[in-house]
Amino acid sequence: MLQNIIRFAAEPATGSGFSFGSIFAASLDPLQVFFTFLLALIIGVIIFLVYKATFAGVMYSRSFNISLIMLTLVTSLMLLLITSNLALSLGMVGALSIIRFRTAVKDPIDTVFMFWAVGEGIAIGAGFYDVTVYSVICIGLFLVVIGAVKVKGAQSYLLIIRYDEVASATVKQLMAKLPKARLKSKTVRPNGIEITIEVRLKDSETAFVERLAKVEGVYDAALISHQGDIVA
């Protein structure tokens, strides 16, 4: 009797094209699958190039950038399967709900790129190809323009100076000339003083570090790129 019920559910009803089996199974067009993966690969490579061109962190991770391409491809695959098979989509929702990702993301902009890759993969897998093309062009151009403006403007740096007590007055005079300088820390040791100052400078304004290092009583001066923003 159970076999008859299953056979009845799989066969279409008399006089109609509807069947319960058609809800739970559908074949994918190989040409559509190929085009979907090809478009996902192209979009993923565009995201890869935009991330590499606009990266402003300390250490560039090529493996993370490649993962953005894979994220676009895998997301488009998942959406293809979900939209073509109702039973599989329900099972996939349950399976993904128990997955926990614990990879630490150091820079918030990396999270934005991950969501961008996932969003493009969803659009491609769902068949919204026009939305995919328009969105990747708009978002990509926006990030490139913002990155170019940031590079040309002033950058945040941490200035670390170690000096003797006799050079305190000279160091204070030089620090007073720096724009938007903020004292972050000061360490006093028996053999000298170490201070860390947050400054915002252009690339053409970093030559003062050499002059500072030549001051009598200054042991060394280091200028380190800093990704934080100075609060006015």
Side-chain angles (χ1 to χ4, degrees), residues 1-231:
M1 180 177 180
L2 180 60
Q3 293 178 351
N4 294 333
I5 295 175
I6 296 175
R7 188 182 301 111
F8 172 77
E11 293 178 354
T14 304
S16 66
F18 173 78
S19 67
F20 289 100
S22 63
I23 299 178
F24 295 97
S27 60
L28 289 173
D29 184 7
L31 185 60
Q32 180 188 3
V33 175
F34 174 77
F35 179 76
T36 299
F37 276 103
L38 179 61
L39 182 59
L41 178 61
I42 295 174
I43 298 299
V45 171
I46 292 175
I47 297 175
F48 175 93
L49 296 176
V50 172
Y51 180 83
K52 187 175 182 180
T54 59
F55 180 77
V58 179
M59 295 183 63
Y60 168 75
S61 175
R62 189 171 184 271
S63 60
F64 173 80
N65 204 359
I66 293 177
S67 68
L68 296 176
I69 302 178
M70 298 304 301
L71 197 58
T72 307
L73 290 169
V74 172
T75 306
S76 63
L77 169 64
M78 293 172 58
L79 261 292
L80 269 180
L81 298 177
I82 289 175
T83 56
S84 64
N85 193 308
L86 179 59
L88 181 61
S89 65
L90 296 176
M92 189 172 294
V93 170
L96 293 177
S97 64
I98 63 175
I99 298 177
R100 297 291 183 269
F101 299 98
R102 299 185 181 275
T103 303
V105 180
K106 298 180 181 180
D107 197 336
I109 196 65
D110 292 346
T111 307
V112 174
F113 274 91
M114 292 175 63
F115 273 103
W116 185 21
V118 171
E120 297 294 346
I122 292 175
I124 296 171
F128 296 100
Y129 303 128
D130 52 348
V131 176
T132 301
V133 175
Y134 296 150
S135 62
V136 76
I137 292 175
C138 294
I139 298 175
L141 287 176
F142 174 77
L143 290 174
V144 170
V145 170
I146 292 298
V149 171
K150 184 176 181 180
V151 169
K152 292 181 181 179
Q155 302 294 315
S156 296
Y157 293 94
L158 289 178
L159 177 62
I160 303 175
I161 310 171
R162 292 196 313 115
Y163 58 93
D164 190 74
E165 184 68 28
V166 296
S168 297
T170 307
V171 171
K172 289 180 180 179
Q173 292 177 359
L174 292 175
M175 293 302 100
K177 298 179 181 179
L178 293 178
K180 296 183 179 181
R182 295 180 61 206
L183 181 65
K184 304 293 290 186
S185 67
K186 181 177 181 180
T187 304
V188 180
R189 298 187 178 94
N191 58 347
I193 302 172
E194 179 179 311
I195 60 174
T196 302
I197 301 174
E198 185 179 21
V199 294
R200 184 178 290 273
L201 302 168
K202 295 181 180 179
D203 293 338
S204 59
E205 299 175 344
T206 58
F208 77 93
V209 180
E210 287 82 355
R211 298 195 302 268
L212 184 61
K214 294 178 181 179
V215 175
E216 184 179 357
V218 175
Y219 302 133
D220 53 61
L223 193 63
I224 303 174
S225 178
H226 176 51
Q227 297 305 313
D229 294 327
I230 296 178
V231 181

